Amino acid sequence: MATAEWKMAELGARSGVPVATIKFYQRENLLPPGERTSPNQALYGEAHLGRIRLIRALIEVGGLSIVAARQVLEAIDSERPLQETFEIAQHSVSEAIDPETLTTDALTHVDALMSGWHVSADNPGRLAAARVYDTFTGVGQVDAAGWFRRYAAAALLAAEADIDELDARAERAAKAEIVVVGTVLGDTLFSGLRRAAQEHVSALRYATPPAAEV
Amino acid sequence: MATAEWKMAELGARSGVPVATIKFYQRENLLPPGERTSPNQALYGEAHLGRIRLIRALIEVGGLSIVAARQVLEAIDSERPLQETFEIAQHSVSEAIDPETLTTDALTHVDALMSGWHVSADNPGRLAAARVYDTFTGVGQVDAAGWFRRYAAAALLAAEADIDELDARAERAAKAEIVVVGTVLGDTLFSGLRRAAQEHVSALRYATPPAAEV
């Protein structure tokens, strides 16, 4: 870590996070200890400040639990292959789904959407998409306009952007961090942009109500 | 509602939902009462079964609270204009964000992504995307490969698929239901497909580990 020169109170002031919360992050092994200068004092620096901001992003914006946040932070700090860091990040933001609870029809349908893709049978996203298919048909809906297929095409564009961001980083630590940040924030970013785009497309198509152009 | 001929116990058996849970849904005004045939008995039919499945989809798969689920179900049942149903569905799946907590830089950046789109200033997706931008830059990340812009393009494709599904329905009730189902399930579908696509794109690009093709 870079030069540590701030006391805990200053780290709190700079991060905007209460000192009690910072101490909680340390007890939970989310944040490394400071540089000890005496039995009663430790100093902190930019690296700690950056880590606190990342913890906040994972928990407050990404909605991760403390346990999930610890797992992805450990993956960033480790020397694991990036592929493993990706898997840990994916699992941290995915609900565990028992494949036994899914219909064969749903899995077949989702695999057809991903025809030609290299995807493991236990990819959490494959199972999540199959559950959506079961739910969609379970409420009596029919995919009348290629909704699933078109979502798969959009998801492929987003995934290519994700991997390009990864490739744009040189160092292993920076690659691991963008894997985690992109995985956690990407869902929120996309869902936000989709809601804005829904308003736009429906305004275009139905021409009412006339929303202001931003 | 269609012909009601099942007792509560049979409705429970057909839906796979415990009778106590079904009674809870009734008390919470998520599920309408049955057709009363005597002071102690009411009968239920396909319409009740379909509604229970929709409630499960909203709560279990969509992660909606009871209050949010009630709001969107009321919107489906109402005679509100579809545009309002859309807004209610969007708010039900969006965290309320105070625009005052966002930087001007984030809003400017997100509005540039949506240049030419007709989007209200208080669209919850616009605010959510701006918060992601603030978080992304707050953890020291730089958008090196057009990540935000490409997500906006993908979101536009998904929104067009959403509105096409809406247009494929003739009746107001069916349109309102797909608005709600698509809004709630669409986030989960996309994030699942994105995780699968990430595995595919990284397997293609790094050629290791060799995942099985599904």
Side-chain angles (χ1 to χ4, degrees):
Chain A
M1 296 225 164
T3 321
E5 49 190 12
W6 308 324
K7 295 182 188 176
M8 173 67 85
E10 184 165 359
L11 182 63
R14 282 177 183 260
S15 64
V17 175
V19 166
T21 303
I22 296 177
K23 289 184 174 173
F24 169 76
Y25 292 159
Q26 288 188 316
R27 284 197 305 276
E28 292 289 334
N29 291 319
L30 300 174
L31 184 70
E35 200 172 289
R36 195 153 291 281
T37 53
S38 81
N40 297 319
Q41 188 162 294
L43 292 179
Y44 304 88
E46 287 290 348
H48 285 92
L49 184 58
R51 179 52 56 99
I52 289 174
R53 290 187 174 134
L54 182 56
I55 295 167
R56 302 295 279 187
L58 298 177
I59 294 175
E60 302 291 325
V61 181
L64 263 61
S65 68
I66 298 290
V67 172
R70 183 164 49 224
Q71 283 170 348
V72 300
L73 291 169
E74 280 172 1
I76 290 176
D77 294 335
S78 73
E79 291 298 316
R80 289 171 187 276
L82 274 178
Q83 203 70 28
E84 280 181 37
T85 302
F86 233 127
E87 281 173 33
I88 291 168
Q90 289 202 339
H91 280 94
S92 76
V93 292
S94 305
E95 194 185 337
I97 294 176
D98 179 358
E100 298 291 317
T101 62
L102 302 167
T103 66
T104 307
D105 184 42
L107 289 167
T108 304
H109 193 89
V110 165
D111 288 344
L113 295 176
M114 310 187 307
S115 172
W117 295 11
H118 290 72
V119 177
S120 322
D122 63 349
N123 181 293
R126 172 178 180 259
L127 304 180
R131 192 166 72 158
V132 169
Y133 184 83
D134 271 335
T135 306
F136 187 84
T137 56
V139 297
Q141 289 292 346
V142 173
D143 181 353
W147 194 62
F148 281 83
R149 178 181 48 72
R150 292 162 74 182
Y151 265 59
L156 189 54
L157 289 182
E160 282 165 353
D162 293 334
I163 308 297
D164 283 346
E165 282 292 333
L166 174 59
D167 277 349
R169 271 84 180 157
E171 305 295 328
R172 193 257 165 221
K175 283 177 188 280
E177 193 158 322
I178 192 68
V179 160
V180 167
V181 168
T183 301
V184 173
L185 295 187
D187 293 344
T188 310
L189 176 62
F190 182 85
S191 63
L193 292 169
R194 180 170 75 104
R195 297 195 218 314
Q198 284 173 338
E199 183 181 337
H200 166 60
V201 175
S202 56
L204 268 193
R205 206 169 296 188
Y206 311 122
T208 169
E213 190 167 324
V214 290
Chain B
M1 296 227 168
T3 320
E5 49 191 11
W6 307 324
K7 294 182 188 177
M8 172 67 84
E10 183 165 359
L11 182 63
R14 283 178 183 260
S15 64
V17 175
V19 166
T21 303
I22 296 178
K23 288 183 174 173
F24 169 74
Y25 292 160
Q26 288 187 316
R27 283 197 306 276
E28 292 289 335
N29 291 319
L30 300 174
L31 185 70
E35 201 172 286
R36 196 153 289 281
T37 54
S38 82
N40 297 320
Q41 188 162 294
L43 292 179
Y44 304 88
E46 288 290 350
H48 285 92
L49 185 57
R51 178 52 57 99
I52 288 174
R53 290 187 174 135
L54 182 56
I55 294 167
R56 301 294 279 185
L58 298 176
I59 294 174
E60 302 292 325
V61 181
L64 262 61
S65 68
I66 298 291
V67 172
R70 184 164 50 225
Q71 283 170 347
V72 299
L73 292 169
E74 281 174 359
I76 290 176
D77 295 336
S78 72
E79 291 299 317
R80 289 171 188 275
L82 275 177
Q83 203 69 29
E84 281 180 34
T85 302
F86 234 128
E87 281 173 32
I88 291 167
Q90 288 202 340
H91 280 94
S92 76
V93 293
S94 306
E95 195 186 337
I97 294 175
D98 179 357
E100 298 291 318
T101 62
L102 302 167
T103 65
T104 307
D105 185 41
L107 289 167
T108 304
H109 192 90
V110 165
D111 288 344
L113 295 177
M114 312 187 306
S115 172
W117 295 12
H118 290 70
V119 176
S120 324
D122 63 350
N123 182 294
R126 172 177 180 260
L127 303 181
R131 192 167 68 157
V132 169
Y133 183 83
D134 271 335
T135 307
F136 187 84
T137 55
V139 297
Q141 289 293 344
V142 173
D143 181 353
W147 194 62
F148 280 83
R149 178 181 47 73
R150 293 161 73 182
Y151 264 60
L156 188 56
L157 289 182
E160 281 164 354
D162 292 334
I163 308 297
D164 283 347
E165 282 295 330
L166 175 59
D167 278 349
R169 272 81 180 158
E171 305 296 326
R172 193 256 164 221
K175 284 177 188 280
E177 194 158 320
I178 193 69
V179 160
V180 167
V181 168
T183 301
V184 172
L185 294 187
D187 293 343
T188 310
L189 176 63
F190 182 84
S191 63
L193 292 169
R194 179 168 76 102
R195 294 194 220 317
Q198 283 173 338
E199 183 180 338
H200 167 59
V201 175
S202 56
L204 267 194
R205 206 168 294 188
Y206 310 122
T208 171
E213 190 168 322
V214 292

